[in-house]
């Protein structure tokens, strides 16, 4: 039966509680009341369980990679943890933060079965000089708490660098999502057997925007100038992110940028494209024009990719898939009046003398050229960016069509929703 519980990502960026303590003893005295509560609650679960001391010790030792032994009396160690956590909680004088923690519905029985299946699937897997302590971990899951058992299981895999297949990793992420874990908890430190960054399937693993459309989002308006430099803006898209195939962010950006560089689109068209999609966020005259700017981006991508593959040499991009060109063009032409009006009526200037007035009539045509002559996928992503940049009103029917197009391209629902949802 499902029950509502606070989503863990409300308070944490990564691992937490006892599973974090086994890897980082400093977590016991973090000075953070939220972390202390999570650690105390985990410790109490084990203290109040009927698990024998040898099971508790085996799990703790394995989760720490054999480096931290709680001793022959692990319950005394757990009692000490609880006492110190209570002291930290009592000393907390900060007012509760604003907002209400989000909740997730957790089916405890179903999650216990799912976690047990993952634990039992690694029976006999080498871990350092021994094997993963499957029986001990299974007892924590079955007799104490599936949430705690799963985090300790992940910690064991990380502590001994147990190789994890991509299908296994995806199941772990599904379990983590059901528990409401923060996004970094599973992948951080896990030895995943990733495919190469140029594998065609890995583009479907982006949760949010990527490539050149993500770069234009980083240079929206002039607010970016207060957050990072030009170089940092590009590297923020090209640099590896936890949970993604190493190198795939830079490779996706390199493919987009190389297609634009090698396209028949004129410098004037590419400059207009940049101005439209970035909300005139960065003057490319500082780069000597649009194509030198694109080449600078490709150079940064090459630097990032050589960190993953030292022998990487940029090559011509793969031919773009054109199958969805017509559906994207239909959507572009259908939304054209709304886009044109939104660009013309940009609130930053207003009146007919606004630089946006001349730009408005060019907005949809440049997006059509990218879609029809460069890459429909990139054209679609830049359309989404434009709709978001100018807060173009979207009906439910249009959002549904854009979502269906995103599905056809293999983009994630969170990616589409982030650019088409309320207040986009």
């Amino acid at each position: 039966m499902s029950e509502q519980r606070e989503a863990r990502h409300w308070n944490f960026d990564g691992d937490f509680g006892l599973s974090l303590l086994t890897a980082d003893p400093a977590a016991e005295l973090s000075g953070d009341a939220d972390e202390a509560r999570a650690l105390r609650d985990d410790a109490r679960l084990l203290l109040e369980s009927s698990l024998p001391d040898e099971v508790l010790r085996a799990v703790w030792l394995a989760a720490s990679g054999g480096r931290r032994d709680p001793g022959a009396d692990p319950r005394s160690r757990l009692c000490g943890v609880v006492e110190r956590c209570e002291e930290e909680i009592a000393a907390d004088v900060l007012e509760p933060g604003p907002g209400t923690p989000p909740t997730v519905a957790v089916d405890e029985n179903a999650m216990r079965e799912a976690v047990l299946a993952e634990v039992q699937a690694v029976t006999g897997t080498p871990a350092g000089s021994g094997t993963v302590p499957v029986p001990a971990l299974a007892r924590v899951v079955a007799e104490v708490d599936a949430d705690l058992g799963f985090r300790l299981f992940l910690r064991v895999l990380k502590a001994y660098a147990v190789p994890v297949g991509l299908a296994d990793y995806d199941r772990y992420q599904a379990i983590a999502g059901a528990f409401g874990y923060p996004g970094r908890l599973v992948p951080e430190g896990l030895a995943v057997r990733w495919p190469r960054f140029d594998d065609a399937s890995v583009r479907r693993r982006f949760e949010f925007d990527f490539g050149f459309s993500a770069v234009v989002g980083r240079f929206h308006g002039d607010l970016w100038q207060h957050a990072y430099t030009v170089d940092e803006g590009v590297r923020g898209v090209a640099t590896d992110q936890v949970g993604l195939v190493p190198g795939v962010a830079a490779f996706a950006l390199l493919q987009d940028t190389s297609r634009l560089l090698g396209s028949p689109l004129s410098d004037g068209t590419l400059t207009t494209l940049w101005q439209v999609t970035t909300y005139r966020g960065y003057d490319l005259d500082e780069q000597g024009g649009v194509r030198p700017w694109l080449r600078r981006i490709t150079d940064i991508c090459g630097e990032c990719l050589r960190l993953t593959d030292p022998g990487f040499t940029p090559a011509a991009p793969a031919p773009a898939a054109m199958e969805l060109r017509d559906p994207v063009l239909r959507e572009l032409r259908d939304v054209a009046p709304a886009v044109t009006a939104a660009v013309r009526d940009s609130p930053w200037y207003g009146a007919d003398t606004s630089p946006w007035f001349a730009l408005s009539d060019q907005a949809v045509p440049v997006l059509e050229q990218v879609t029809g002559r460069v890459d429909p996928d990139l054209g679609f992503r830049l359309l989404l960016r434009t709709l978001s940049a100018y807060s173009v009103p979207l009906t439910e029917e249009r959002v549904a069509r854009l979502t269906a197009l995103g599905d056809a391209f293999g983009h994630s629902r969170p990616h589409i929703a982030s650019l088409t949802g309320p207040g986009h």
Side-chain angles (χ1 to χ4, degrees), residues 206-277:
F206 284 103
E207 186 174 1
F208 291 101
D209 201 6
F210 58 91
F212 189 73
S213 52
V215 168
V216 302
R218 295 275 289 180
F219 289 92
H220 173 82
D222 63 359
L223 296 178
W224 65 270
Q225 299 175 47
H226 306 288
Y228 40 81
T229 66
V230 172
D231 194 69
E232 289 168 345
V234 177
R235 290 185 184 278
V237 176
T239 302
D240 284 343
Q241 303 168 35
V242 173
L244 284 179
V245 175
V248 69
F251 188 73
L253 177 54
L254 178 63
Q255 292 281 291
D256 281 351
T257 311
S258 297
R259 288 191 179 113
L260 289 172
L261 258 176
S263 75
L265 273 57
S266 69
D267 286 4
T269 297
L270 291 173
T271 300
T272 299
L273 175 71
W274 178 259
Q275 291 174 333
V276 168
T277 54

Side-chain angles (χ1 to χ4, degrees), residues 77-395:
R77 176 80 171 85
L78 289 169
C79 284
V81 169
V82 171
E83 290 174 3
R84 280 184 286 277
C85 287
E86 293 288 14
E87 291 171 1
E88 287 194 19
I89 295 167
D92 181 37
V93 295
L94 296 178
E95 293 293 328
T100 302
T103 59
V104 291
V106 176
D107 186 329
E108 295 291 346
N109 290 332
M111 296 308 297
R112 185 179 300 113
E113 292 179 7
V115 176
L116 274 174
E118 299 303 336
V119 172
Q120 292 165 350
V122 300
T123 298
T125 298
S129 58
T131 58
V132 175
V134 170
L137 285 167
R139 290 194 65 177
V140 174
V141 175
E143 301 175 34
V144 182
D145 183 64
D147 178 339
L148 174 57
F150 182 58
R151 284 185 282 117
L152 289 170
F153 166 67
L154 290 174
R155 185 54 65 187
V156 171
L157 298 183
K158 295 173 183 180
Y160 290 105
V162 176
V164 172
L166 199 57
D168 301 319
Y169 169 77
D170 287 340
R171 292 196 305 274
Y172 298 166
Q173 282 287 50
I175 291 173
F179 279 131
Y181 289 166
R184 300 173 68 93
L185 191 147
V186 171
E188 200 160 48
L190 197 64
V192 183
R193 293 195 295 266
W194 297 110
R196 267 186 61 86
F197 52 74
D198 52 2
D199 186 308
S201 67
V202 301
R203 283 171 62 91
R204 292 177 174 264
R205 303 188 68 83
F206 284 103
E207 186 174 1
F208 291 101
D209 201 6
F210 58 91
F212 189 73
S213 52
V215 168
V216 302
R218 295 275 289 180
F219 289 92
H220 173 82
D222 63 359
L223 296 178
W224 65 270
Q225 299 175 47
H226 306 288
Y228 40 81
T229 66
V230 172
D231 194 69
E232 289 168 345
V234 177
R235 290 185 184 278
V237 176
T239 302
D240 284 343
Q241 303 168 35
V242 173
L244 284 179
V245 175
V248 69
F251 188 73
L253 177 54
L254 178 63
Q255 292 281 291
D256 281 351
T257 311
S258 297
R259 288 191 179 113
L260 289 172
L261 258 176
S263 75
L265 273 57
S266 69
D267 286 4
T269 297
L270 291 173
T271 300
T272 299
L273 175 71
W274 178 259
Q275 291 174 333
V276 168
T277 54
T278 63
Y279 207 79
R280 298 180 68 98
Y282 177 54
D283 187 352
L284 295 183
D285 287 343
E286 296 183 20
Q287 297 292 328
V290 65
R291 278 192 158 81
W293 170 236
L294 294 175
R295 281 191 287 271
R296 180 176 179 183
I297 294 175
T298 61
D299 288 344
I300 291 173
C301 291
E303 293 172 15
C304 293
L305 284 165
R306 280 186 283 275
L307 295 176
T308 302
D309 178 5
F312 175 77
T313 301
M322 305 302 287
E323 293 84 355
L324 294 172
R325 175 182 56 191
D326 291 344
V328 177
L329 288 174
R330 281 196 297 271
E331 198 61 44
L332 259 170
R333 290 160 185 163
D334 190 61
V335 79
V339 170
T340 301
V343 177
R344 181 188 299 118
D345 298 335
S346 173
W348 281 46
Y349 295 93
D352 294 357
T353 57
S354 165
W356 302 100
F357 195 77
L359 196 62
S360 62
D361 290 335
Q362 304 173 57
V364 171
V366 297
L367 290 170
E368 288 179 333
Q369 289 201 55
V370 173
T371 301
R373 304 178 69 186
V374 182
D375 181 10
D377 186 330
L378 176 57
F380 174 68
R381 285 183 279 122
L382 290 172
L383 167 62
L384 295 182
R385 274 292 171 191
T386 303
L387 297 175
S388 178
Y390 298 95
S391 300
V392 177
L394 302 178
T395 63

